Amino acid sequence: RRALASARRALATRVDDDGATLPGAAFSILHEDDEIVVVDKGAGLLFVPGRQPHKADCLVARLASTRPELGVAHRLDRDTSGVCVLAKTKAALRTLSKAFQAREVRKTYVGAVSGTPAADGAVDAAIGKVPTPEGFNRVALLDEASGGRPSVTRYEVLDARGDSALIRLTPLTGRAHQLRVGP
């Protein structure tokens, strides 16, 4: 219940920003050995650097100050918190990349949404990039004939109140930003 209330406050107070790492964003190392480093990435921290100089502060840059050869097999969005694994060797990167590509890694997310889904279900729709008037691309529902790629996410309603809900999301495909897109 506290998580839902906190998520509602975050949705209500969200303001437009420039996409850079947010002040106070942090991470902690959960495990490290000769092959991998497992990190709990906090919300607000970019995973990899952005194209603009003000987006250089990120998890990979912070870790690279003492681990210069890190390999990235997967990513989390800036505003997503969670556990991620980075490779310290080329062999570990190959193994991780193959595991993600073969869907051997199960990923589960919890998110707050505006609106209340009627019941548990799945979003099974093609998604793709569409240009915005500002010249950027955003991910949206896009039929396959227009370049969309299949995307499937299962969801479970954990709590719903008023016009928002807390849901568990399980992506079955690995499309960028697929958790943000739904009917």
Side-chain angles (χ1 to χ4, degrees), residues 38-113:
V38 180
V39 177
D40 182 6
K41 185 191 90 60
L45 179 61
L46 287 171
F47 197 91
V48 295
R51 292 184 181 144
Q52 298 89 4
H54 71 283
K55 295 181 181 177
D57 180 24
C58 65
L59 175 66
V60 170
R62 291 180 185 187
L63 289 168
S65 65
T66 56
R67 300 161 192 86
E69 300 297 323
L70 286 177
V72 175
H74 72 111
R75 304 173 188 199
L76 294 176
D77 289 344
R78 181 193 71 173
D79 295 326
T80 301
S81 62
V83 176
C84 48
V85 183
L86 295 104
K88 294 173 70 175
T89 67
K90 289 181 181 180
L93 180 58
R94 271 191 306 276
T95 300
L96 287 170
S97 295
K98 286 179 182 178
F100 277 97
Q101 188 174 30
R103 309 279 183 258
E104 294 170 353
V105 178
R106 288 181 285 157
K107 299 174 273 185
T108 303
Y109 301 84
V110 174
V113 295

Side-chain angles (χ1 to χ4, degrees), residues 14 19 46-48 51 55 74-80 107 109 123 125-130 136-142 149-153 169 171-183:
R14 176 137 179 123
L46 287 171
F47 197 91
V48 295
R51 292 184 181 144
K55 295 181 181 177
H74 72 111
R75 304 173 188 199
L76 294 176
D77 289 344
R78 181 193 71 173
D79 295 326
T80 301
K107 299 174 273 185
Y109 301 84
V123 176
I127 62 174
K129 293 181 181 177
V130 295
F136 299 103
N137 286 322
R138 70 176 180 84
V139 176
L141 296 174
L142 186 68
R149 296 174 65 194
S151 172
V152 181
T153 303
L169 301 154
L172 303 182
T173 53
R175 305 286 177 242
H177 307 298
Q178 81 178 59
L179 300 182
R180 298 179 187 201
V181 181

Side-chain angles (χ1 to χ4, degrees), residues 3 8 24-25 56 67 109 114 138 157 161 170:
R8 281 192 182 119
R67 300 161 192 86
Y109 301 84
S114 179
R138 70 176 180 84
V157 179
R161 295 182 195 173
T170 305

